[in-house]
Amino acid sequence: MDTLILHHYPASPFAEKIRRVLAFKQLAYRSVIIPDVMPKPDVLALTGGYRRTPILQIGADIYCDTALICQVLEQRSAEPALYPPHLLGVSRIVAQWADSTLFWAAMAYNLQPRGAAALFAQQPPEAAKAFAADRGAMSAGMQRLRPQDATAAYRSYLRRIAHMVEEHDFLFGDQPCVADFAAYHPLWFTRVCVPTMADIFEPVPAVLEWMDRIAALGPARMEKFKAEDAITVAANAEPAPLLDDVFQDEHGIPLGSQVTVAAESFGQEPTQGTLLAATRTRYTLRREDPRAGEVHVHFPRIGYVLRKAEQ
């Protein structure tokens, strides 16, 4: 029941981040391919509402957001390290920048009309419409960069990454850390998923060489797995005992309360459950599902909003 199960789809940039981490750590996993747009009934059976990609399942424990998934994989296999001691703070800070500021600039550049046409060139027109509607719903209320502004920002960020990898094989030295994988995945989307947009890399060949080094890590051992089998795994397992971490109460909401947790911005669909833990770094909710049984759903604290559930 401690097998790693990754729920993802091939063109998901954040899933590629975790696939590269799994390769780096040489961790075997089971691969469940999920839809790239709603409905996602098998995903929601596990998460109860959260629908961003990927999610990591270990038995009846469900881990949301790649920032938390990276921490879980580091606990599973400490070497090679994602968070080397001398980079403990800066690697996380750069990873957070890459997963947010860099990501949104890259995707606004990638999915302007020329890129979107390339991405959906082999699919029927309704696929592009469904994707646009789905992501529009997920980003409701967000301030999005215009393509012109995104292009200028992306070029600047690529030059800054180039300055770092011209000096080292990876961002901070001769070994990759979590910041490398976070910075890699939106660039991977440009290069692999919308190659017609990849001319933006021409002034920064060092970035492509760095990307090649990351792509050469692994691959991890992967076994194809069905979504219904993953749900059966959860139903037949018990959530792992919680670590004896200190309860950090910032909301005046006691443990055992009915709460919701939702992302601050993109993909704000809430997950409701019983608050089991609110530590310095994460929230854990217990919830019941008719198919998956009792599961514990885990979220990172940064980037997520905890609220008392409405009665």
Side-chain angles (χ1 to χ4, degrees), residues 49-262:
Y50 180 88
R51 44 80 54 106
R52 284 158 54 170
T53 303
I55 62 170
L56 178 69
Q57 175 188 354
I58 305 176
D61 286 274
I62 312 302
Y63 298 94
C64 303
D65 196 286
T66 59
L68 177 57
I69 292 171
C70 284
Q71 294 174 27
V72 171
L73 296 179
E74 186 84 339
Q75 292 166 357
R76 172 63 68 99
S77 177
E79 296 293 338
L82 286 175
Y83 310 95
H86 67 292
L87 299 174
L88 201 55
V90 70
S91 64
R92 284 184 166 92
I93 289 170
V94 172
Q96 187 176 3
W97 164 81
D99 283 343
S100 53
T101 304
L102 173 63
F103 174 81
W104 287 114
M107 297 309 288
Y109 167 81
N110 291 330
L111 294 179
Q112 56 187 293
R114 181 164 59 105
L119 183 63
F120 294 102
Q122 305 302 317
Q123 299 185 50
E126 54 267 24
K129 292 179 181 178
F131 185 86
D134 184 85
R135 295 310 189 266
M138 292 184 76
S139 59
M142 286 182 61
Q143 183 70 36
R144 302 291 293 272
L145 286 172
R146 297 179 302 168
Q148 304 93 323
D149 299 321
T151 301
Y154 197 19
R155 290 188 193 280
S156 292
Y157 298 148
L158 290 174
R159 285 194 298 271
R160 294 173 190 180
I161 292 171
H163 293 157
M164 299 175 76
V165 296
E166 285 167 353
E167 299 296 324
H168 315 104
D169 282 349
F170 298 99
L171 292 182
F172 291 104
D174 61 0
Q175 294 295 321
C177 67
V178 69
D180 288 272
F181 299 105
Y184 172 82
H185 70 88
L187 281 59
W188 165 86
F189 190 92
T190 307
R191 192 181 189 189
V192 174
C193 298
V194 288
T196 188
M197 307 298 290
D199 54 355
I200 199 168
F201 294 120
E202 289 178 2
V204 286
V207 171
L208 294 178
E209 294 168 4
W210 163 74
M211 293 179 70
D212 289 342
R213 288 190 283 273
I214 294 177
L217 300 169
R221 300 184 306 280
M222 183 271 287
E223 172 191 352
K224 293 181 180 179
F225 207 55
K226 295 181 179 179
E228 55 264 35
D229 293 335
I231 292 172
T232 299
V233 167
N236 292 337
E238 293 184 2
L242 294 174
L243 298 174
D244 188 22
D245 285 328
V246 175
F247 174 43
Q248 184 167 313
D249 182 12
E250 306 289 358
H251 300 81
I253 301 176
L255 297 180
S257 300
Q258 281 293 304
V259 299
T260 63
V261 173

